[in-house]
Amino acid sequence: MDDIVRQAMAKWPNVPHCYGWLGLDDRGNWYMRDDRVQAAGPFPQAKGSLLRHEKLVDFIHRNYGRDDAGRWYFQNGPQRVYVELQATPWIWRLAADGSVASHTGQAARVRQCLVDETGRVYLETDLGFGLVHTQDMVQASDAVESGRWLPQEVRAADLPGRFGYVTSPAALPPA
């Protein structure tokens, strides 16, 4: 977490949390969801505006975390902005050399590979649980075929409960 964020939290400790305004899609893209977009429907049905400002996205990446209830958020100064997840809290990118990194750029070590009923590939890592990016399926299949990963079958609907994450904090009562 950025030092300036810690300072803002100490200075203004009672800022209300924000729900529904930020979404993470299944390709690791961030979306800003204003009142109009939220009224149009839940994420990802109504995604909102794709965030393209590199410094803002980097700031979100550095200040992205999880609370004790499994809700993921971006700590924006003193305000916690809860994230609507299309799929999982992490989107994994795979490199040709076999390395794995999160959509935030953090290196991760694979502990387990899972495949759901639609063929989507997930990884449990030392950082947590997430979906493999669709553009990296060749590298994922190489890891499976070489025996580095032994995929286990899983139902997609069971993943949030099994791995302790909430896809829609906005659908829950405020913390």
Side-chain angles (χ1 to χ4, degrees), residues 8-129:
M9 290 169 62
K11 188 171 184 178
W12 298 290
N14 298 315
V15 174
H17 299 322
C18 180
Y19 294 87
W21 283 78
L22 186 62
L24 177 68
D25 76 3
D26 59 2
R27 295 176 66 91
N29 296 310
W30 296 101
Y31 289 85
M32 186 63 64
R33 305 180 70 245
D34 61 19
D35 286 329
R36 180 188 56 76
V37 170
Q38 291 181 54
F43 188 79
Q45 174 189 328
K47 282 191 172 180
S49 301
L50 176 65
L51 295 181
R52 296 180 190 270
H53 191 280
E54 191 175 314
K55 290 188 186 226
L56 174 58
V57 170
D58 288 345
F59 182 63
I60 292 170
H61 287 173
R62 290 191 312 272
N63 296 285
Y64 182 56
R66 175 187 182 279
D67 71 10
D68 292 338
R71 297 172 301 187
W72 286 78
Y73 63 88
F74 155 53
Q75 190 69 47
N76 184 23
Q79 186 170 54
R80 185 169 284 186
V81 179
Y82 282 99
V83 177
E84 298 293 298
L85 303 172
Q86 181 173 355
T88 60
W90 297 107
I91 305 301
W92 304 119
R93 298 307 314 256
L94 312 180
D97 68 0
S99 62
V100 176
S102 71
H103 66 279
T104 64
Q106 294 174 271
R109 292 182 23 216
V110 176
R111 294 180 178 158
Q112 181 179 24
C113 175
L114 300 111
V115 177
D116 73 12
E117 63 275 10
T118 64
R120 296 196 310 174
V121 178
Y122 303 86
L123 300 175
E124 181 184 13
T125 75
D126 57 336
L127 291 180
F129 182 76

Side-chain angles (χ1 to χ4, degrees), residues 116-173:
D116 73 12
E117 63 275 10
T118 64
R120 296 196 310 174
V121 178
Y122 303 86
L123 300 175
E124 181 184 13
T125 75
D126 57 336
L127 291 180
F129 182 76
L131 176 68
V132 172
H133 195 288
T134 56
Q135 289 181 329
D136 298 340
M137 294 311 296
V138 169
Q139 294 91 328
S141 64
D142 289 346
V144 170
E145 288 175 6
S146 71
R148 286 191 328 241
W149 299 349
L150 301 172
Q152 297 177 12
E153 290 185 16
V154 66
R155 285 180 12 147
D158 296 339
L159 296 173
R162 181 172 172 182
F163 292 98
Y165 63 92
V166 174
T167 56
S168 181
L172 300 176

